[in-house]
Amino acid sequence: MHVFDKLLRIKEQKGAGYLVLIDPDKQGLERAVEIAQKCQENEVDALLVGGSLLFAYLFDELIKGIKAVCELPVIIFPGGTRQISPYADAILFLSVISGRNANQLIGEQVVAAPIIKSMNLEAISTGYMFIESGSVTSAQFLNGSLPIPREKPDMAMAHALAAEYLGMKCVYLEAGSGAKYAVPVEMIATLNRYVEIPMIIGGGIRSPEAARERVEAGASFIVTGNVLEKNPDTQLIRSFAQAVHWRQNSA
Ligand code: 1GP
């Protein structure tokens, strides 16, 4: 089964899915493998691997190391074309639709597409949207474009709808890693009324309660990174998963 279909099934069965981001620049191989193992044991649905830059050059090794101990789907969340690996199960094929930087809308994708094909990697077409979150994030800075203002849910909705009509499989609303403020609940609720494709929400989500609020507003998948990098506590991982899996846990 394709990874994207697995994700859809998770959303269907559990109400929403919980994805954990492992950023190779923020921890070494051993620590990443340890977090991956804990995720598998504590109801996480899939792992994202990637980061804004990539100082660490052992991208393949990191993914191989994770795959050796963990059966969860490993999905690349690339900050650029150097972050492609045949050892992953899929890649979010991102286009930064909130920006007007042609290179990140289609340029990098043209470079990456044949490489992805040659690796037989599943590409999940994703409309990637930066949402204002209290300060300039690394991804916004590198993209060189303004994020969508927090208090303009209609603007976010129009972008997400455009992604849907362009045939993208999902949208990813990104407040940025370590963001001061996560994507606003009202914005997610607005998109939920208009957009049918799944919504991935990430950046600045620090508590299971914050995750749950966003799922209740209509998020299909919640991503956390920093919170577990700082404290990979098994109980915390499980609390996030249970907050996100509302359907399973309200049955
Ligand atoms: C995923 O970049 C985020 O979209 C991760 O954000 O590190 O703030 O959880 P945090």
Side-chain angles (χ1 to χ4, degrees):
M1 185 191 280
H2 285 125
V3 171
F4 186 67
D5 293 329
K6 273 190 201 160
L7 293 177
L8 291 182
R9 184 181 281 188
I10 287 163
K11 174 177 152 45
E12 187 55 35
Q13 289 174 343
K14 302 182 181 177
Y18 178 38
L19 316 180
V20 169
L21 172 64
I22 295 183
D23 182 340
D25 285 339
K26 296 203 181 136
Q27 69 258 295
L29 183 88
E30 254 174 55
R31 173 95 164 168
V33 168
E34 182 200 326
I35 295 178
Q37 231 163 351
K38 286 184 179 174
C39 286
Q40 162 158 280
E41 288 157 10
N42 291 283
E43 302 177 36
V44 172
D45 297 300
L47 299 174
L48 299 184
V49 178
S52 295
L53 285 174
L54 192 63
F55 305 128
Y57 52 92
L58 297 172
F59 195 62
D60 283 346
E61 298 311 312
L62 179 85
I63 295 180
K64 276 201 265 182
I66 292 172
K67 291 295 299 177
V69 298
C70 174
E71 285 173 13
L72 293 176
V74 173
I75 306 169
I76 299 173
F77 177 40
T81 49
R82 284 166 60 224
Q83 298 176 36
I84 305 177
S85 168
Y87 302 104
D89 299 298
I91 182 166
L92 293 184
F93 198 67
L94 304 173
S95 175
V96 185
I97 58 168
S98 60
R100 300 297 179 265
N101 173 337
N103 195 43
Q104 293 200 2
L105 270 167
I106 185 63
E108 296 271 308
Q109 293 75 1
V110 171
V111 175
I115 304 173
I116 291 171
K117 180 75 181 172
S118 74
M119 291 179 177
N120 207 14
L121 200 53
E122 178 184 339
I124 302 173
S125 170
T126 305
Y128 194 41
M129 299 161 56
F130 296 138
I131 310 298
E132 187 193 345
S133 59
S135 59
V136 178
T137 65
S138 309
Q140 284 166 21
F141 173 76
L142 292 169
N143 186 264
S145 66
L146 289 173
I148 295 176
R150 301 179 63 70
E151 70 285 2
K152 299 233 183 284
D154 287 354
M155 186 68 80
M157 178 273 285
H159 280 77
L161 210 46
E164 181 173 313
Y165 292 163
L166 282 166
M168 292 179 170
K169 287 190 166 161
C170 54
V171 284
Y172 192 136
L173 275 67
E174 173 69 273
S177 191
K180 273 192 198 161
Y181 309 114
V183 175
V185 171
E186 307 70 45
M187 187 177 272
I188 298 168
T190 302
L191 262 69
N192 193 38
R193 286 199 295 278
Y194 291 89
V195 180
E196 288 180 21
I197 53 177
M199 254 188 278
I200 308 172
I201 307 292
I205 300 175
R206 295 185 184 81
S207 67
E209 295 72 29
R212 180 61 168 243
E213 272 184 318
R214 283 159 181 80
V215 164
E216 283 173 355
S220 315
F221 299 97
I222 294 290
V223 182
T224 67
N226 267 281
V227 74
L228 300 185
E229 280 157 17
K230 290 188 182 133
N231 176 23
D233 174 65
T234 49
Q235 188 47 47
L236 182 63
I237 302 175
R238 194 170 285 250
S239 305
F240 266 106
Q242 291 177 348
V244 170
H245 298 151
W246 63 269
R247 183 167 287 155
Q248 207 173 45
N249 293 302
S250 60

